[in-house]
Coordinates of all heavy atoms in Angstrom, one line a residue:
M230 N 74.5 104.8 92.7 CA 75.5 105.1 93.8 C 76.4 103.9 93.8 O 77.6 104.0 93.9 CB 74.7 105.3 95.1 CG 75.5 105.1 96.3 SD 76.1 106.8 96.8 CE 76.8 106.4 98.3
I231 N 75.8 102.7 94.0 CA 76.6 101.4 94.1 C 77.5 101.2 92.8 O 78.6 100.9 92.9 CB 75.8 100.2 94.4 CG1 75.2 100.3 95.8 CG2 76.6 98.9 94.3 CD1 74.2 99.3 96.2
K232 N 76.8 101.5 91.7 CA 77.6 101.4 90.4 C 78.8 102.3 90.3 O 79.9 101.9 89.8 CB 76.7 101.6 89.2 CG 77.2 101.3 87.9 CD 76.2 101.4 86.8 CE 76.8 101.2 85.5 NZ 75.9 101.3 84.3
R233 N 78.6 103.5 90.8 CA 79.7 104.6 90.8 C 80.8 104.1 91.8 O 81.9 104.2 91.5 CB 79.1 105.9 91.2 CG 80.1 107.0 91.1 CD 79.5 108.3 91.3 NE 78.9 108.4 92.7 CZ 79.4 109.0 93.7 NH1 80.5 109.7 93.6 NH2 78.8 109.0 94.9
L234 N 80.4 103.6 93.0 CA 81.4 103.1 93.9 C 82.2 101.9 93.4 O 83.4 101.8 93.5 CB 80.7 102.8 95.3 CG 80.3 104.0 96.2 CD1 79.5 103.5 97.4 CD2 81.5 104.8 96.6
F235 N 81.4 101.0 92.8 CA 82.1 99.8 92.2 C 83.1 100.2 91.1 O 84.2 99.7 91.1 CB 81.0 98.9 91.6 CG 81.5 97.7 91.0 CD1 81.9 96.6 91.8 CD2 81.7 97.5 89.6 CE1 82.4 95.4 91.3 CE2 82.2 96.4 89.1 CZ 82.5 95.3 89.9
S236 N 82.7 101.1 90.2 CA 83.5 101.4 89.2 C 84.8 102.2 89.6 O 85.8 102.2 89.1 CB 82.8 102.3 88.1 OG 82.3 103.5 88.5
K237 N 84.6 103.0 90.7 CA 85.7 103.8 91.2 C 86.7 103.0 92.0 O 87.9 103.3 91.9 CB 85.1 104.9 92.1 CG 86.1 105.9 92.7 CD 85.5 107.0 93.4 CE 86.5 108.0 93.9 NZ 85.9 109.1 94.7
Y238 N 86.3 102.0 92.8 CA 87.2 101.3 93.7 C 87.5 99.9 93.3 O 88.3 99.2 94.0 CB 86.5 101.3 95.1 CG 86.5 102.7 95.7 CD1 85.3 103.4 95.8 CD2 87.7 103.4 96.1 CE1 85.2 104.7 96.3 CE2 87.6 104.7 96.6 CZ 86.4 105.3 96.7 OH 86.3 106.6 97.2
F239 N 86.8 99.4 92.2 CA 87.0 97.9 91.9 C 88.5 97.6 91.7 O 88.9 96.5 92.3 CB 86.2 97.6 90.7 CG 86.4 96.2 90.3 CD1 85.8 95.1 91.0 CD2 87.2 95.8 89.2 CE1 86.0 93.8 90.7 CE2 87.4 94.5 88.9 CZ 86.8 93.4 89.6
E240 N 89.2 98.3 90.9 CA 90.6 97.9 90.6 C 91.5 97.9 91.8 O 92.3 97.0 92.1 CB 91.1 98.8 89.5 CG 92.5 98.3 89.0 CD 93.1 99.2 87.9 OE1 92.6 100.1 87.5 OE2 94.3 98.8 87.6
L241 N 91.3 98.9 92.6 CA 92.1 99.1 93.9 C 91.8 97.9 94.8 O 92.7 97.3 95.3 CB 91.7 100.4 94.5 CG 92.5 100.7 95.9 CD1 93.9 100.8 95.7 CD2 91.9 102.0 96.5
V242 N 90.6 97.6 95.0 CA 90.2 96.5 95.9 C 90.6 95.2 95.3 O 91.2 94.3 96.1 CB 88.6 96.5 96.1 CG1 88.2 95.3 96.9 CG2 88.2 97.7 96.9
F243 N 90.5 95.0 94.0 CA 91.0 93.8 93.4 C 92.5 93.5 93.6 O 92.9 92.4 94.0 CB 90.7 93.9 91.9 CG 91.2 92.7 91.2 CD1 90.5 91.5 91.1 CD2 92.5 92.8 90.5 CE1 91.0 90.4 90.3 CE2 93.0 91.7 89.8 CZ 92.3 90.5 89.7
W244 N 93.4 94.5 93.4 CA 94.8 94.3 93.5 C 95.2 94.1 95.0 O 96.0 93.3 95.2 CB 95.5 95.5 92.9 CG 95.5 95.5 91.4 CD1 95.1 96.5 90.6 CD2 96.0 94.5 90.6 NE1 95.3 96.1 89.3 CE2 95.9 94.9 89.2 CE3 96.5 93.2 90.7 CZ2 96.2 94.1 88.1 CZ3 96.9 92.4 89.7 CH2 96.7 92.9 88.4
I245 N 94.6 94.9 95.9 CA 94.8 94.6 97.3 C 94.5 93.2 97.7 O 95.2 92.6 98.4 CB 94.2 95.7 98.2 CG1 94.8 97.1 98.0 CG2 94.3 95.4 99.6 CD1 94.1 98.3 98.6
A246 N 93.2 92.8 97.3 CA 92.8 91.4 97.7 C 93.7 90.4 97.0 O 94.0 89.4 97.7 CB 91.3 91.2 97.2
A247 N 94.1 90.6 95.8 CA 95.0 89.7 95.2 C 96.3 89.5 95.9 O 96.8 88.4 96.1 CB 95.2 90.0 93.7
M248 N 96.9 90.6 96.2 CA 98.2 90.6 96.9 C 98.0 90.0 98.4 O 98.9 89.2 98.8 CB 98.8 92.0 97.1 CG 99.2 92.6 95.8 SD 100.7 91.8 95.1 CE 99.9 90.8 93.8
L249 N 96.9 90.3 99.0 CA 96.7 89.7 100.4 C 96.5 88.1 100.2 O 97.0 87.3 101.0 CB 95.5 90.3 101.0 CG 95.8 91.7 101.6 CD1 94.4 92.3 102.1 CD2 96.8 91.7 102.7
A250 N 95.8 87.8 99.2 CA 95.6 86.3 99.0 C 96.9 85.6 98.7 O 97.2 84.5 99.2 CB 94.6 86.1 97.8
L251 N 97.8 86.2 97.9 CA 99.0 85.6 97.6 C 99.9 85.6 98.9 O 100.7 84.7 99.1 CB 99.7 86.3 96.5 CG 99.1 86.0 95.0 CD1 99.7 86.9 94.0 CD2 99.2 84.6 94.7
A252 N 99.9 86.7 99.7 CA 100.7 86.8 100.8 C 100.4 85.7 101.9 O 101.3 85.3 102.6 CB 100.6 88.2 101.4
F253 N 99.1 85.4 102.0 CA 98.7 84.3 103.0 C 98.6 83.0 102.5 O 98.1 82.1 103.1 CB 97.4 84.8 103.6 CG 97.5 86.0 104.5 CD1 96.9 87.2 104.1 CD2 98.2 86.0 105.7 CE1 97.0 88.4 104.9 CE2 98.3 87.1 106.5 CZ 97.7 88.2 106.1
S254 N 99.1 82.7 101.2 CA 99.1 81.4 100.7 C 100.4 80.7 101.1 O 101.4 81.3 101.4 CB 99.1 81.5 99.1 OG 97.9 82.0 98.6
T255 N 100.3 79.3 101.0 CA 101.5 78.5 101.3 C 102.4 78.3 100.1 O 101.8 77.9 99.1 CB 101.0 77.1 101.9 OG1 100.1 77.4 103.0 CG2 102.2 76.3 102.4
P256 N 103.6 78.6 100.2 CA 104.5 78.6 99.0 C 104.6 77.2 98.4 O 104.6 77.2 97.1 CB 105.9 78.9 99.6 CG 105.7 79.6 100.9 CD 104.4 79.1 101.4
G257 N 104.7 76.1 99.1 CA 104.9 74.8 98.5 C 103.6 74.1 98.2 O 103.6 72.9 97.7
A258 N 102.4 74.7 98.4 CA 101.2 74.0 98.2 C 100.9 73.7 96.7 O 101.2 74.5 95.9 CB 100.0 74.8 98.8
E259 N 100.4 72.5 96.5 CA 100.0 72.1 95.1 C 98.7 72.8 94.8 O 97.8 72.8 95.6 CB 99.9 70.6 94.9 CG 101.2 69.9 94.9 CD 102.0 70.4 93.6 OE1 101.4 70.4 92.5 OE2 103.3 70.5 93.8
S260 N 98.5 73.3 93.6 CA 97.3 73.8 93.2 C 96.4 72.8 92.4 O 96.9 72.1 91.4 CB 97.6 75.1 92.3 OG 96.3 75.6 91.8
H261 N 95.1 72.7 92.8 CA 94.2 71.9 92.1 C 93.3 72.6 91.1 O 92.7 72.1 90.3 CB 93.4 71.1 93.1 CG 94.2 70.1 93.9 ND1 94.8 69.0 93.4 CD2 94.5 70.3 95.2 CE1 95.4 68.4 94.5 NE2 95.3 69.2 95.5
F262 N 93.3 73.9 91.3 CA 92.4 74.7 90.5 C 93.3 75.8 89.7 O 94.2 76.3 90.3 CB 91.5 75.5 91.3 CG 90.6 76.5 90.6 CD1 89.6 76.0 89.8 CD2 90.7 77.9 90.7 CE1 88.8 76.9 89.1 CE2 90.0 78.7 90.0 CZ 89.0 78.2 89.2
T263 N 93.0 76.1 88.5 CA 93.8 77.1 87.7 C 92.9 78.0 86.9 O 91.8 77.5 86.5 CB 94.8 76.3 86.7 OG1 95.5 77.3 86.1 CG2 94.1 75.5 85.7
L264 N 93.2 79.1 86.8 CA 92.6 80.1 85.9 C 93.3 80.3 84.5 O 92.8 81.0 83.7 CB 92.5 81.4 86.6 CG 91.7 81.6 87.8 CD1 91.8 82.9 88.5 CD2 90.2 81.2 87.6
C265 N 94.3 79.6 84.3 CA 95.1 79.6 83.1 C 94.4 79.1 81.9 O 94.1 77.8 81.9 CB 96.5 79.0 83.3 SG 97.4 78.9 81.8
P266 N 94.0 79.9 80.9 CA 93.3 79.3 79.8 C 94.1 78.3 78.9 O 93.5 77.4 78.4 CB 93.0 80.6 78.9 CG 93.9 81.6 79.4 CD 94.3 81.3 80.8
L267 N 95.5 78.4 79.0 CA 96.2 77.5 78.2 C 96.3 76.1 78.9 O 96.1 75.1 78.3 CB 97.7 78.0 78.0 CG 97.8 79.3 77.1 CD1 99.2 79.7 77.0 CD2 97.3 78.9 75.7
K268 N 96.4 76.1 80.2 CA 96.3 74.9 80.9 C 95.0 74.2 80.9 O 94.8 73.0 80.7 CB 96.7 75.1 82.5 CG 98.1 75.4 82.7 CD 98.8 74.3 83.2 CE 100.3 74.7 83.5 NZ 101.0 74.0 84.3
L269 N 93.9 75.0 80.9 CA 92.6 74.4 80.8 C 92.3 73.9 79.4 O 91.5 73.0 79.2 CB 91.5 75.6 81.0 CG 91.5 76.0 82.5 CD1 90.5 77.2 82.6 CD2 91.0 75.0 83.4
M270 N 93.1 74.3 78.4 CA 92.9 73.8 77.0 C 93.9 72.6 76.8 O 93.9 72.0 75.8 CB 93.2 74.9 75.9 CG 92.2 75.9 75.8 SD 92.4 77.1 74.4 CE 93.9 77.8 74.7
G271 N 94.7 72.2 77.8 CA 95.5 71.1 77.7 C 97.0 71.3 77.4 O 97.7 70.4 77.3
F272 N 97.4 72.6 77.3 CA 98.8 72.8 76.9 C 99.6 72.7 78.2 O 99.2 72.9 79.3 CB 99.0 74.3 76.5 CG 98.4 74.5 75.1 CD1 97.1 75.1 74.9 CD2 99.1 74.2 73.9 CE1 96.6 75.3 73.7 CE2 98.6 74.4 72.7 CZ 97.4 75.0 72.5
K273 N 100.8 72.1 78.0 CA 101.7 71.9 79.2 C 102.5 73.1 79.6 O 102.8 73.3 80.7 CB 102.7 70.8 78.9 CG 102.1 69.4 78.5 CD 101.6 68.8 79.7 CE 101.1 67.4 79.3 NZ 100.2 66.9 80.3
W274 N 102.8 74.1 78.7 CA 103.6 75.2 78.9 C 102.7 76.5 78.8 O 102.0 76.6 77.8 CB 104.8 75.2 78.1 CG 105.7 76.4 78.4 CD1 106.6 76.4 79.4 CD2 105.7 77.6 77.7 NE1 107.3 77.7 79.4 CE2 106.7 78.4 78.3 CE3 105.0 78.2 76.6 CZ2 107.0 79.7 78.0 CZ3 105.3 79.5 76.2 CH2 106.3 80.2 76.9
C275 N 102.9 77.5 79.7 CA 102.3 78.8 79.5 C 103.3 79.8 80.0 O 104.0 79.6 81.1 CB 101.1 78.8 80.4 SG 100.4 80.5 80.6
P276 N 103.4 80.9 79.3 CA 104.4 81.9 79.7 C 104.1 82.6 81.1 O 105.0 83.1 81.7 CB 104.4 82.9 78.6 CG 103.1 82.7 77.9 CD 102.6 81.3 78.1
G277 N 102.9 82.5 81.5 CA 102.6 83.2 82.8 C 102.5 82.2 84.0 O 102.5 82.7 85.1
C278 N 102.5 80.9 83.7 CA 102.4 80.0 84.8 C 103.6 80.1 85.7 O 104.7 80.2 85.2 CB 102.2 78.6 84.3 SG 100.5 78.3 83.6
G279 N 103.4 80.0 86.9 CA 104.5 80.2 87.9 C 104.6 81.5 88.5 O 105.3 81.8 89.5
L280 N 103.9 82.5 87.9 CA 104.0 83.9 88.4 C 103.4 84.0 89.8 O 103.9 84.7 90.7 CB 103.3 84.8 87.4 CG 103.5 86.3 87.5 CD1 104.9 86.6 87.5 CD2 102.7 87.0 86.4
G281 N 102.3 83.4 90.0 CA 101.7 83.4 91.3 C 102.6 82.8 92.4 O 102.7 83.3 93.5
H282 N 103.1 81.6 92.0 CA 104.0 80.9 93.0 C 105.3 81.8 93.3 O 105.8 81.9 94.3 CB 104.5 79.5 92.4 CG 103.4 78.5 92.6 ND1 102.6 78.1 91.6 CD2 103.2 77.8 93.7 CE1 101.9 77.2 92.1 NE2 102.2 76.9 93.4
S283 N 105.7 82.5 92.2 CA 106.9 83.4 92.4 C 106.6 84.5 93.4 O 107.3 84.8 94.2 CB 107.2 84.0 91.0 OG 108.3 84.9 91.2
I284 N 105.4 85.1 93.3 CA 104.9 86.1 94.2 C 104.8 85.6 95.6 O 105.2 86.2 96.6 CB 103.7 86.8 93.7 CG1 104.0 87.6 92.3 CG2 103.1 87.8 94.7 CD1 102.8 88.1 91.6
I285 N 104.2 84.4 95.7 CA 104.0 83.8 97.0 C 105.4 83.6 97.7 O 105.6 83.9 98.9 CB 103.3 82.5 97.0 CG1 101.8 82.7 96.6 CG2 103.3 81.7 98.3 CD1 101.1 81.4 96.1
Y286 N 106.4 83.0 97.0 CA 107.7 82.8 97.5 C 108.3 84.1 97.9 O 109.0 84.2 99.0 CB 108.6 82.1 96.4 CG 108.4 80.6 96.3 CD1 108.0 80.1 95.1 CD2 108.5 79.8 97.5 CE1 107.8 78.7 95.0 CE2 108.4 78.4 97.3 CZ 108.0 77.9 96.1 OH 107.9 76.5 96.1
L287 N 108.1 85.1 97.1 CA 108.7 86.5 97.4 C 108.1 87.0 98.7 O 108.9 87.6 99.6 CB 108.5 87.4 96.3 CG 109.0 88.9 96.4 CD1 110.5 88.7 96.5 CD2 108.5 89.7 95.2
F288 N 106.8 86.9 98.9 CA 106.2 87.4 100.1 C 106.6 86.6 101.3 O 106.6 87.2 102.4 CB 104.6 87.3 100.1 CG 104.1 88.4 99.2 CD1 102.9 88.3 98.5 CD2 104.6 89.7 99.2 CE1 102.3 89.2 97.8 CE2 104.1 90.7 98.4 CZ 102.9 90.5 97.8
H289 N 107.1 85.4 101.2 CA 107.7 84.6 102.3 C 109.2 84.7 102.5 O 109.8 84.0 103.2 CB 107.3 83.2 102.1 CG 105.8 82.9 102.5 ND1 104.8 83.1 101.6 CD2 105.2 82.5 103.6 CE1 103.6 82.8 102.2 NE2 103.8 82.5 103.3
G290 N 109.8 85.6 101.6 CA 111.2 86.0 101.8 C 112.1 85.0 101.0 O 113.3 85.1 101.2
D291 N 111.6 84.1 100.2 CA 112.4 83.1 99.5 C 112.6 83.6 98.0 O 112.0 83.3 97.1 CB 111.6 81.8 99.5 CG 112.5 80.7 99.0 OD1 113.7 80.9 98.5 OD2 112.1 79.5 99.1
I292 N 113.6 84.6 98.0 CA 113.9 85.2 96.7 C 114.3 84.2 95.7 O 114.0 84.3 94.5 CB 114.9 86.4 96.9 CG1 114.2 87.4 97.8 CG2 115.3 87.0 95.5 CD1 115.1 88.5 98.2
R293 N 115.2 83.3 96.1 CA 115.8 82.3 95.1 C 114.7 81.5 94.5 O 114.6 81.4 93.2 CB 116.7 81.4 95.8 CG 117.4 80.4 94.9 CD 118.4 79.7 95.7 NE 118.7 78.4 95.1 CZ 119.5 77.5 95.5 NH1 120.3 77.8 96.6 NH2 119.7 76.4 94.9
N294 N 113.8 80.9 95.3 CA 112.7 80.1 94.7 C 111.7 81.0 93.9 O 111.1 80.5 92.9 CB 111.9 79.3 95.8 CG 112.6 78.0 96.1 OD1 113.3 77.4 95.3 ND2 112.4 77.6 97.3
S295 N 111.5 82.3 94.3 CA 110.7 83.2 93.6 C 111.2 83.4 92.2 O 110.5 83.3 91.3 CB 110.7 84.5 94.4 OG 110.0 85.5 93.6
F296 N 112.5 83.6 92.1 CA 113.1 83.8 90.7 C 113.0 82.5 89.9 O 112.8 82.6 88.7 CB 114.6 84.2 90.9 CG 115.2 84.6 89.6 CD1 114.9 85.9 89.0 CD2 116.1 83.8 88.9 CE1 115.5 86.2 87.8 CE2 116.6 84.1 87.7 CZ 116.3 85.4 87.2
H297 N 113.2 81.3 90.6 CA 113.1 80.1 89.8 C 111.7 79.7 89.4 O 111.5 79.1 88.4 CB 113.7 78.9 90.7 CG 115.2 79.0 90.8 ND1 116.0 78.7 89.7 CD2 116.0 79.1 91.8 CE1 117.3 78.9 90.1 NE2 117.3 79.1 91.3
A298 N 110.7 80.2 90.2 CA 109.3 79.9 89.8 C 109.0 80.7 88.5 O 108.3 80.2 87.6 CB 108.3 80.2 90.9
H299 N 109.3 82.0 88.5 CA 109.1 82.8 87.3 C 109.9 84.1 87.5 O 109.9 84.8 88.6 CB 107.6 83.2 87.2 CG 107.2 83.7 85.8 ND1 107.7 84.8 85.3 CD2 106.5 83.1 84.9 CE1 107.2 85.0 84.1 NE2 106.5 83.9 83.8
W300 N 110.7 84.4 86.5 CA 111.7 85.5 86.7 C 111.0 86.9 86.7 O 111.6 87.9 87.1 CB 112.8 85.4 85.7 CG 112.3 85.5 84.2 CD1 111.8 84.5 83.4 CD2 112.3 86.7 83.4 NE1 111.5 85.1 82.2 CE2 111.7 86.4 82.2 CE3 112.6 88.0 83.7 CZ2 111.6 87.3 81.2 CZ3 112.5 89.0 82.7 CH2 112.0 88.6 81.4
L301 N 109.7 86.9 86.3 CA 109.0 88.2 86.3 C 108.2 88.5 87.6 O 107.5 89.5 87.7 CB 108.1 88.3 85.0 CG 108.7 88.6 83.7 CD1 107.8 88.6 82.6 CD2 109.4 90.0 83.7
G302 N 108.3 87.5 88.6 CA 107.6 87.7 89.8 C 108.0 89.0 90.5 O 107.1 89.7 91.0
I303 N 109.2 89.2 90.7 CA 109.7 90.4 91.4 C 109.3 91.6 90.7 O 108.7 92.7 91.4 CB 111.2 90.3 91.7 CG1 111.5 89.1 92.6 CG2 111.7 91.5 92.4 CD1 112.9 88.8 92.7
P304 N 109.5 91.8 89.4 CA 109.1 93.1 88.7 C 107.5 93.2 88.8 O 107.0 94.3 88.9 CB 109.6 92.9 87.3 CG 110.7 91.9 87.4 CD 110.4 91.0 88.6
A305 N 106.8 92.1 88.7 CA 105.4 92.1 88.8 C 104.8 92.7 90.1 O 103.9 93.5 90.1 CB 104.8 90.8 88.6
V306 N 105.5 92.3 91.2 CA 105.1 92.8 92.5 C 105.4 94.3 92.6 O 104.5 95.1 93.1 CB 105.9 92.1 93.6 CG1 105.7 92.8 95.0 CG2 105.4 90.7 93.8
I307 N 106.5 94.8 92.1 CA 106.8 96.2 92.0 C 105.8 97.0 91.2 O 105.3 98.0 91.7 CB 108.2 96.4 91.5 CG1 109.3 95.9 92.5 CG2 108.5 97.9 91.3 CD1 110.7 95.8 91.9
V308 N 105.4 96.4 90.1 CA 104.4 97.1 89.2 C 103.1 97.2 89.9 O 102.4 98.2 89.9 CB 104.4 96.5 87.8 CG1 103.2 97.0 87.0 CG2 105.7 96.7 87.1
I309 N 102.7 96.1 90.5 CA 101.4 96.0 91.1 C 101.3 96.9 92.3 O 100.3 97.7 92.5 CB 101.0 94.5 91.5 CG1 100.7 93.7 90.2 CG2 99.8 94.5 92.4 CD1 100.7 92.3 90.4
F310 N 102.3 96.9 93.1 CA 102.3 97.9 94.3 C 102.4 99.3 93.9 O 101.8 100.2 94.5 CB 103.5 97.6 95.3 CG 103.2 96.5 96.2 CD1 104.2 95.6 96.5 CD2 102.0 96.3 96.8 CE1 103.9 94.5 97.4 CE2 101.6 95.3 97.7 CZ 102.7 94.4 98.0
H311 N 103.1 99.6 92.8 CA 103.0 101.0 92.2 C 101.6 101.3 91.8 O 101.1 102.4 92.0 CB 104.0 101.0 91.1 CG 104.0 102.5 90.5 ND1 103.3 102.8 89.4 CD2 104.6 103.6 90.9 CE1 103.4 104.1 89.2 NE2 104.2 104.6 90.0
R312 N 100.9 100.4 91.1 CA 99.6 100.6 90.7 C 98.6 100.8 91.8 O 97.7 101.7 91.9 CB 99.1 99.4 89.8 CG 97.7 99.6 89.3 CD 97.7 100.7 88.3 NE 96.3 100.9 87.8 CZ 95.8 102.0 87.3 NH1 96.6 103.1 87.2 NH2 94.6 102.1 86.9
I313 N 98.8 100.0 92.9 CA 98.0 100.2 94.2 C 98.3 101.6 94.7 O 97.3 102.3 95.1 CB 98.3 99.1 95.2 CG1 97.7 97.8 94.7 CG2 97.7 99.5 96.6 CD1 98.2 96.6 95.6
Y314 N 99.5 102.0 94.8 CA 99.8 103.4 95.3 C 99.1 104.5 94.5 O 98.5 105.4 95.0 CB 101.3 103.6 95.3 CG 101.7 105.0 95.7 CD1 101.6 105.4 96.9 CD2 102.1 105.9 94.6 CE1 102.0 106.8 97.2 CE2 102.5 107.2 95.0 CZ 102.4 107.6 96.3 OH 102.7 108.9 96.6
V315 N 99.3 104.3 93.1 CA 98.7 105.3 92.2 C 97.1 105.4 92.3 O 96.6 106.5 92.4 CB 99.0 105.1 90.7 CG1 98.2 105.9 89.8 CG2 100.5 105.3 90.6
L316 N 96.5 104.2 92.4 CA 95.0 104.2 92.6 C 94.7 104.7 94.0 O 93.7 105.5 94.1 CB 94.6 102.7 92.4 CG 94.6 102.2 91.0 CD1 94.2 100.7 91.1 CD2 93.5 102.9 90.1
G317 N 95.4 104.4 95.0 CA 95.1 104.9 96.3 C 95.2 106.4 96.4 O 94.4 107.1 97.1
K318 N 96.2 106.9 95.8 CA 96.5 108.3 95.8 C 95.4 109.0 95.1 O 94.9 110.0 95.6 CB 97.9 108.6 95.2 CG 98.3 110.1 95.2 CD 99.6 110.3 94.6 CE 100.0 111.7 94.6 NZ 101.3 111.9 93.9
D319 N 95.0 108.5 94.0 CA 93.9 109.1 93.2 C 92.6 108.9 93.9 O 91.8 109.9 94.0 CB 93.9 108.4 91.8 CG 92.9 109.0 90.9 OD1 92.8 110.3 90.8 OD2 92.1 108.3 90.2
R320 N 92.2 107.7 94.3 CA 90.8 107.5 94.8 C 90.7 107.9 96.3 O 89.6 108.4 96.7 CB 90.6 106.0 94.7 CG 90.7 105.3 93.3 CD 89.6 105.9 92.4 NE 89.6 105.2 91.1 CZ 90.3 105.3 90.0 NH1 91.3 106.1 90.1 NH2 90.1 104.5 89.0
L321 N 91.7 107.7 97.1 CA 91.6 108.0 98.5 C 92.3 109.2 99.0 O 92.0 109.7 100.1 CB 92.1 106.7 99.3 CG 91.6 105.4 99.0 CD1 92.3 104.3 99.7 CD2 90.1 105.3 99.3
G322 N 93.1 109.8 98.1 CA 93.8 111.0 98.5 C 95.0 110.9 99.4 O 95.4 111.9 99.9
F323 N 95.6 109.7 99.6 CA 96.8 109.6 100.4 C 98.0 109.9 99.5 O 97.9 109.9 98.3 CB 96.9 108.4 101.2 CG 97.2 107.1 100.3 CD1 98.5 106.9 99.8 CD2 96.2 106.2 100.0 CE1 98.7 105.8 99.0 CE2 96.4 105.1 99.3 CZ 97.6 104.9 98.7
G324 N 99.1 110.1 100.1 CA 100.4 110.3 99.4 C 100.7 111.8 99.1 O 101.6 112.1 98.4
H325 N 99.9 112.7 99.7 CA 100.2 114.1 99.6 C 101.3 114.5 100.5 O 101.4 114.1 101.6 CB 98.9 115.0 99.9 CG 97.8 114.7 99.0 ND1 97.8 115.3 97.7 CD2 96.7 114.0 99.1 CE1 96.7 114.9 97.1 NE2 96.0 114.1 97.9
G326 N 102.3 115.2 100.0 CA 103.4 115.7 100.8 C 103.1 116.9 101.7 O 101.9 117.4 101.7
F327 N 104.1 117.3 102.4 CA 103.9 118.5 103.3 C 103.7 119.7 102.4 O 104.3 119.9 101.4 CB 105.0 118.7 104.2 CG 105.3 117.6 105.2 CD1 106.3 116.7 105.1 CD2 104.4 117.5 106.2 CE1 106.4 115.7 106.0 CE2 104.5 116.5 107.2 CZ 105.5 115.6 107.1
G328 N 102.7 120.6 102.8 CA 102.5 121.8 102.2 C 101.5 121.7 101.0 O 101.1 122.7 100.5
E329 N 101.1 120.4 100.7 CA 100.1 120.3 99.6 C 98.7 120.4 100.2 O 98.5 119.9 101.3 CB 100.3 119.0 98.9 CG 101.5 119.0 98.1 CD 101.7 117.7 97.3 OE1 100.7 117.1 96.9 OE2 102.8 117.2 97.2
K330 N 97.8 120.9 99.5 CA 96.4 121.0 100.0 C 95.8 119.6 99.8 O 96.0 118.9 98.7 CB 95.6 122.1 99.2 CG 95.9 123.4 99.7 CD 94.8 124.3 99.3 CE 94.8 125.5 100.1 NZ 93.6 126.3 100.1
H331 N 95.0 119.2 100.7 CA 94.4 117.9 100.6 C 92.9 118.1 100.6 O 92.3 118.7 101.6 CB 94.7 117.0 101.8 CG 94.1 115.7 101.8 ND1 92.8 115.4 102.1 CD2 94.7 114.5 101.5 CE1 92.6 114.2 102.1 NE2 93.7 113.5 101.6
T332 N 92.3 117.8 99.5 CA 90.7 117.9 99.4 C 90.2 116.6 99.0 O 90.7 115.9 98.1 CB 90.4 119.0 98.4 OG1 91.0 118.7 97.1 CG2 90.9 120.4 98.9
L333 N 89.1 116.2 99.6 CA 88.4 115.0 99.2 C 87.1 115.3 98.5 O 86.4 116.2 98.7 CB 88.2 114.1 100.4 CG 89.4 113.3 100.8 CD1 89.1 112.5 102.1 CD2 90.0 112.4 99.8

């Protein structure tokens, strides 16, 4: 039962939690911890670094700094919110229009 619930809702809960964590983060805060494997191996540059800061700036309405932190931040938010919508529609049954049958 728990394994089935975990496998069914994990991705949805993960993306919602990640977006909420980024939304409640401080845009200018320095990070002391990183999950970036390239930074952990000592590389100075990574193609994905700055994406989290970009999303944080975007959630705080600072589009200019969002774009400067990483130019893929805005498209990433759109893709992630679309994924949340698709997962929610599939798993929770929301998003049905008028006249459609709703069965859970």
